[in-house]
Amino acid sequence: MVKIVVYVLAIIDIAILGNIGLLLLLPFYKQIAKVKPLMQIGCFLVAVFSNVFAVYVFVWLCGKLDVLPTLGMLIIPYLLTIAKDFKRIKRAKSGIRMAEISLQETGEIHYGSQKFLSFLILNEYVYLVGDILGLSLGVVFFLR
């Protein structure tokens, strides 16, 4: 029974803590958004460190529950994170993400330039690579 709880805990932990680092960027969003490459570097680093931190917290919680964390416990959260990232890429490619941003910024839905669309798609790929690298580094560092 405890192992099932730990598997569920892994999914919840990675889902929440793997994304919580992005909240750190919110106060600086306006300044960072002015320099697009800086935004992508910041998003990449935050995604990496958030996922490493999420794996660390998971391993720590396993220690508190006297359960040996295994790679198998992180497979489902890993796959769910990658699926989420591909869904975000698909939304960016279809223009849905651009329409959401324009609605937030102007109150109206409009589609921007091809250059902005390319930036959004690239940014979603940056998140994908950051998530994969962060989870992989977390596994390498904490599941030895």
Side-chain angles (χ1 to χ4, degrees), residues 87-98:
K87 183 178 177 183
R88 288 172 56 164
I89 291 168
K90 183 179 175 184
R91 289 176 68 224
K93 285 182 177 179
S94 69
I96 294 172
R97 182 72 181 124
M98 190 168 12

Side-chain angles (χ1 to χ4, degrees), residues 54-68:
V55 173
Y56 169 77
V57 169
F58 172 71
V59 170
W60 178 79
L61 288 172
C62 284
K64 294 294 181 187
L65 296 172
D66 290 329
V67 174
L68 182 65

Side-chain angles (χ1 to χ4, degrees), residues 118-130:
S118 297
F119 166 76
L120 288 177
I121 294 168
L122 179 62
N123 206 47
E124 297 304 336
Y125 277 109
V126 166
Y127 281 122
L128 172 67
V129 172

Side-chain angles (χ1 to χ4, degrees), residues 32-123:
I32 293 174
K34 292 177 185 175
V35 183
K36 302 243 186 288
L38 180 62
M39 183 176 175
Q40 291 173 337
I41 292 168
C43 290
F44 172 77
L45 292 175
V46 167
V48 170
F49 290 120
S50 295
N51 284 294
V52 169
F53 178 69
V55 173
Y56 169 77
V57 169
F58 172 71
V59 170
W60 178 79
L61 288 172
C62 284
K64 294 294 181 187
L65 296 172
D66 290 329
V67 174
L68 182 65
T70 64
L71 181 62
M73 294 174 181
L74 293 173
I75 296 284
I76 293 171
Y78 194 89
L79 294 175
L80 289 174
T81 300
I82 292 171
K84 172 199 65 150
D85 287 337
F86 276 115
K87 183 178 177 183
R88 288 172 56 164
I89 291 168
K90 183 179 175 184
R91 289 176 68 224
K93 285 182 177 179
S94 69
I96 294 172
R97 182 72 181 124
M98 190 168 12
E100 291 170 348
I101 290 172
S102 70
L103 183 62
Q104 290 172 350
E105 295 295 322
T106 65
E108 300 175 4
I109 294 180
H110 61 83
Y111 296 92
S113 67
Q114 184 64 34
K115 184 177 177 182
F116 185 63
L117 179 62
S118 297
F119 166 76
L120 288 177
I121 294 168
L122 179 62
N123 206 47

